[in-house]
């Protein structure tokens, strides 16, 4: 288990559920670059900010830099929002 220093850190079971929701590493024609920070530590930082209600710029230094965690949140939310179907936007049949 990575981390584990903070009460908000994910257990292995929780991480298995969260991991599938996070974006995978970019893979370009040449394979892309390695991730600079482990996704699990990014998730731990996100949950720390959520649980403690601290500002994005204030998590402890043992987490990933705040812009990294913030970008993941913005990217995942935007991707989920764009992938949803909006049934209310379709034409309604006349009764």
């Amino acid at each position: 288990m990575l981390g584990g220093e903070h009460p908000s850190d994910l257990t292995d079971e929780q991480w298995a559920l969260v991991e599938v929701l996070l974006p995978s590493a970019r893979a370009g024609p040449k394979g892309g670059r390695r991730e600079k920070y482990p996704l699990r530590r990014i998730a731990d930082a996100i949950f720390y900010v959520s649980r403690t209600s601290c500002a994005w710029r204030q998590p402890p230094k043992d987490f990933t830099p705040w812009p990294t965690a913030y970008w993941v949140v913005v990217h995942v939310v935007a991707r989920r929002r764009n992938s949803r179907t909006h049934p209310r936007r379709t034409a309604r049949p006349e009764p």
Side-chain angles (χ1 to χ4, degrees):
M1 182 167 126
L2 283 172
E5 301 89 17
H6 304 282
S8 60
D9 287 354
L10 298 172
T11 64
D12 292 335
E13 295 81 23
Q14 292 169 328
W15 172 242
L17 297 172
V18 172
E19 185 177 19
V20 297
L21 301 174
L22 297 175
S24 59
R26 295 181 188 173
K30 297 181 181 179
R33 66 178 183 164
R34 273 185 9 170
E35 294 174 336
K36 192 169 184 178
Y37 304 103
L39 278 177
R40 185 164 182 168
R41 288 307 289 161
I42 294 171
D44 285 339
I46 293 167
F47 282 106
Y48 180 86
V49 170
S50 175
R51 182 170 183 177
T52 63
S53 299
C54 74
W56 277 105
R57 295 178 185 226
Q58 294 178 331
K61 298 292 183 195
D62 60 334
F63 288 119
T64 59
W66 74 266
T68 304
Y70 183 77
W71 180 87
V72 169
V73 168
V74 170
H75 179 74
V76 168
V77 168
R79 184 177 65 173
R80 299 267 181 223
R81 187 175 295 149
N82 291 336
S83 68
R84 284 187 195 153
T85 57
H86 297 284
R88 292 182 186 157
R89 293 185 181 181
T90 59
R92 294 184 182 167
E94 293 292 325

